[in-house]
Amino acid sequence: METPFIYGKLATGNNFTDREDEQERLIRNFLSGANTILISPRRWGKSSLVLKSAEKAKSLEKSTIVVFIDLFNIRNEEEFYKVLAEKVIQSVSTKMEEVILNVKEFMKQWIPKISFSPDSQQEFNLGLNWNELKKNPDEILDLAEKIAISKNLKIVICVDEFQNIAYYDNPLAFQKYLRAHWQQHQSITYCLYGSKKHMLMEVFTSPSMPFYKFGDLIFLSKIDSAYWKLFITERFRSTGKEINPEQAGRIAALVDCHPYYVQQLAQLVWLRTEKSVNNTIIEKAIDSLTLQLSMLFQNMTESLSTTQVNFLKMILDKVIRLSSKENIENYKIGTSANIVRIKKALNNKEIIDEQPDEIKILDPLYALWLKKYYFIGHRKFDPLGRIY
């Protein structure tokens, strides 16, 4: 029997829960031509949300084409232009002959070499001459717009991990160049998203940056516990197993409603359950999951300075006046000036999330591990999560 919970890959169909408001907003933007900026921490379901919204948008308006681009491993302009051209051509071509025709019609300046994958007529590779391309990449940046106008299409280009353009040579100049082209497109809608909040905030909310006010800015929130209760109880019921709403809520609460971890913990509980869930099963599952990650968390902690670790202890202890003389002395932070430096460093490492009224450790299982294991005698763990 297949497990009823999905994590580590895109959630589709019955595996997708809630996000009705965000879906409606995204679909409206996709169909109306409004650009969207979507920001949230890792594993909160951004990609699943964009995919689900794109599918609905396409079903509502048949002339809508959606292009998905992931910049996770794209670390320079040459690769960016190449993948942009390939994905756009691929999205409007249903067979090999169409790929060739579209390349000839819309990429006349380059005459690129095309090599096809033996496993698929749509999978292909464009051989572009970078020395020529970097002199004038306008045709690539305007490729989707030209195709959309020619074929009477509405194209939505979704770019994941957009913050990675910060790693390119001269990223500010590149952003200016992108913005100069993209803001002129009338038939293309852009959805830009990623998981490094501090980097994306700099790109999209700083008045000095080219992409300032480029589109509708959406900060993805966690899925409310009420939705998780319904989702978990229904998924258990669909496989002939029982869990009551309180137990389902307990699963969500233990991992602070973190979408990835809720599904992972729910699966562990489901696997341990023969017929009906009990509280002991849930507690053993959360302990098992936390200890599975103990080596990762230990290595992460050992990479931090002593004052950074002490600052995490302050957060877990829910200290309010972080810069007070008493708390700085009690937690051995050093000086009040260190607080600013520590927060910046931990933000850059994606370990904490700083809100106007609260600072939280982003990974709820890391917070649980610190509180339950690390700060109790600074224990060490072997690769199997066993204390030694």
Side-chain angles (χ1 to χ4, degrees):
M1 181 186 296
E2 290 188 9
T3 60
F5 300 99
I6 297 294
Y7 60 94
K9 56 184 178 181
L10 293 176
T12 58
N14 292 332
N15 295 308
F16 190 91
T17 184
D18 189 31
R19 304 292 193 204
E20 283 89 357
D21 292 342
E22 292 92 339
Q23 281 187 64
E24 184 178 341
R25 191 168 166 184
L26 273 176
I27 293 167
R28 184 171 62 246
N29 287 351
F30 289 170
L31 297 180
S32 67
N35 297 326
T36 305
I37 313 302
L38 184 61
I39 300 176
S40 84
R42 294 181 185 280
R43 298 176 175 177
W44 277 31
K46 289 183 301 298
S47 298
S48 296
L49 171 62
V50 172
L51 176 61
K52 184 81 170 181
S53 303
E55 289 174 344
K56 287 193 174 182
K58 288 191 294 183
S59 70
L60 291 172
E61 197 165 305
K62 301 303 181 184
S63 63
T64 299
I65 299 292
V66 183
V67 180
F68 293 97
I69 298 173
D70 189 349
L71 299 187
F72 180 72
N73 287 321
I74 308 301
R75 293 304 179 99
N76 58 60
E77 286 185 48
E78 179 182 4
E79 292 179 9
F80 178 90
Y81 292 129
K82 180 175 179 295
V83 74
L84 175 62
E86 288 175 350
K87 293 296 184 180
V88 169
I89 293 292
Q90 185 181 44
S91 70
V92 297
S93 307
T94 58
K95 52 187 178 180
M96 180 172 59
E97 290 78 9
E98 278 190 89
V99 170
I100 296 172
L101 289 174
N102 284 325
V103 169
K104 286 182 177 179
E105 181 177 356
F106 297 105
M107 299 185 70
K108 297 175 182 178
Q109 178 179 344
W110 303 112
I111 315 177
K113 295 178 181 178
I114 308 173
S115 57
F116 288 88
S117 167
D119 302 322
S120 171
Q121 289 194 340
Q122 274 188 282
E123 294 290 334
F124 66 96
N125 184 284
L126 284 178
L128 298 175
N129 186 321
W130 174 234
N131 290 327
E132 293 298 321
L133 177 59
K134 64 184 177 182
K135 295 176 184 177
N136 182 20
D138 294 20
E139 187 174 82
I140 301 295
L141 291 178
D142 294 331
L143 177 63
E145 176 77 352
K146 291 179 181 178
I147 292 176
I149 293 172
S150 175
K151 296 179 179 290
N152 195 27
L153 298 172
K154 181 177 292 182
I155 298 179
V156 181
I157 297 181
C158 302
V159 185
D160 197 359
E161 302 298 354
F162 186 75
Q163 74 278 343
N164 279 2
I165 62 174
Y167 299 119
Y168 299 176
D169 293 336
N170 202 348
L172 185 59
F174 181 63
Q175 288 180 48
K176 289 179 179 178
Y177 199 59
L178 283 184
R179 175 71 187 254
H181 279 265
W182 287 1
Q183 68 184 0
Q184 297 181 49
H185 295 166
Q186 300 300 310
S187 301
I188 310 300
T189 302
Y190 293 93
C191 179
L192 311 177
Y193 51 109
S195 54
K196 292 193 175 182
K197 180 180 175 182
H198 71 284
M199 295 176 69
L200 289 167
M201 290 287 286
E202 173 66 19
V203 170
F204 295 112
T205 66
S206 174
S208 64
M209 297 298 284
F211 276 91
Y212 178 62
K213 290 189 175 180
F214 181 69
D216 182 22
L217 187 59
I218 301 175
F219 292 97
L220 200 61
S221 60
K222 292 177 182 175
I223 296 173
D224 189 81
S225 177
Y227 289 97
W228 283 124
K229 288 180 182 180
L230 288 172
F231 177 76
I232 293 170
T233 53
E234 288 175 1
R235 300 302 281 163
F236 267 78
R237 190 181 301 117
S238 70
T239 59
K241 297 185 181 183
E242 297 178 2
I243 184 171
N244 64 48
E246 290 73 25
Q247 291 167 334
R250 173 67 175 159
I251 289 174
L254 282 168
V255 290
D256 198 22
C257 291
H258 188 291
Y260 180 94
Y261 285 141
V262 171
Q263 297 252 22
Q264 189 175 17
L265 180 57
Q267 176 172 294
L268 287 177
V269 172
W270 182 86
L271 289 170
R272 292 167 179 264
T273 302
E274 291 187 11
K275 184 64 179 177
S276 298
V277 174
N278 59 55
N279 293 336
T280 300
I281 290 175
I282 295 175
E283 297 308 316
K284 286 184 177 180
I286 187 64
D287 285 343
S288 173
L289 180 55
T290 307
L291 290 173
Q292 282 178 31
L293 299 169
S294 59
M295 284 299 292
L296 171 66
F297 293 153
Q298 183 171 299
N299 291 337
M300 185 188 307
T301 307
E302 289 177 349
S303 72
L304 304 177
S305 69
T306 300
T307 53
Q308 289 171 352
V309 173
N310 292 344
F311 183 81
L312 295 180
K313 183 69 165 62
M314 291 178 77
I315 294 175
L316 291 174
D317 290 344
K318 299 188 182 300
V319 172
I320 297 175
R321 298 173 60 243
L322 298 175
S323 299
S324 72
K325 182 178 179 181
E326 180 183 3
N327 287 325
I328 287 173
E329 289 178 354
N330 288 342
Y331 288 90
K332 297 180 174 58
I333 298 298
T335 66
S336 58
N338 278 351
I339 294 289
V340 175
R341 288 192 289 268
I342 290 169
K343 285 195 293 185
K344 182 178 181 181
L346 293 176
N347 262 308
N348 290 342
K349 291 175 181 286
E350 302 292 320
I351 291 177
I352 65 170
D353 182 32
E354 188 174 4
Q355 300 292 336
D357 58 345
E358 184 182 28
I359 299 176
K360 296 191 71 171
I361 296 175
L362 267 174
D363 189 321
L365 281 183
Y366 182 44
L368 181 61
W369 179 84
L370 286 171
K371 190 172 185 178
K372 192 172 182 179
Y373 298 103
Y374 183 79
F375 288 123
I376 308 288
H378 292 261
R379 299 174 178 179
K380 297 285 187 178
F381 299 85
D382 67 15
L384 297 178
R386 298 172 299 197
I387 299 170
Y388 66 88

